[in-house]
Amino acid sequence: MARKALTKTRKLINHLTKPNSGGITESEARNMYGIADLPSMIYKIKQDMTMYGNWELTKEKTPRGKTRYFMNDTHPGKRKYRFNKDGSRCMIK
């Protein structure tokens, strides 16, 4: 059975939820994942991921004036599950 291709949104979420990912800027998102409008995608992700208070999306300015986006787990170390790269949920052992 062939694996389902990851969407650009899923790839971005995977990147942002990695520990110590360092966040992402618009140019990095464009080069790594082909995302043309990062602020719009961040807005959509923010609606989904923060709905239940599990994740916090933040941004900061870099020294060169670009915006870098971050996703922080609001319950670190307390989760009983994690997400696989394809977005499916699995238990933490």
Side-chain angles (χ1 to χ4, degrees), residues 2 9 12 18 25 28 32 43 56 67 72 83 85 91:
T9 303
L12 179 61
K18 284 181 194 170
T25 64
E28 291 169 342
M32 293 185 337
Y43 178 78
E56 174 186 45
T67 303
N72 303 308
F83 291 96
K85 287 184 178 183
M91 298 300 291

Side-chain angles (χ1 to χ4, degrees), residues 21-70:
S21 74
I24 197 164
T25 64
E26 274 191 87
S27 59
E28 291 169 342
R30 191 176 319 104
N31 293 335
M32 293 185 337
Y33 306 117
I35 297 169
D37 188 7
L38 182 61
S40 174
M41 189 171 283
I42 291 290
Y43 178 78
K44 290 174 188 172
I45 291 171
K46 188 173 187 173
Q47 288 179 321
D48 294 337
M49 300 300 273
T50 62
M51 184 181 303
Y52 302 106
N54 293 329
W55 295 92
E56 174 186 45
L57 277 144
T58 58
K59 61 183 178 180
E60 69 179 31
K61 288 285 184 186
T62 67
R64 294 184 176 205
K66 295 182 179 185
T67 303
R68 182 170 290 280
Y69 296 91
F70 298 89

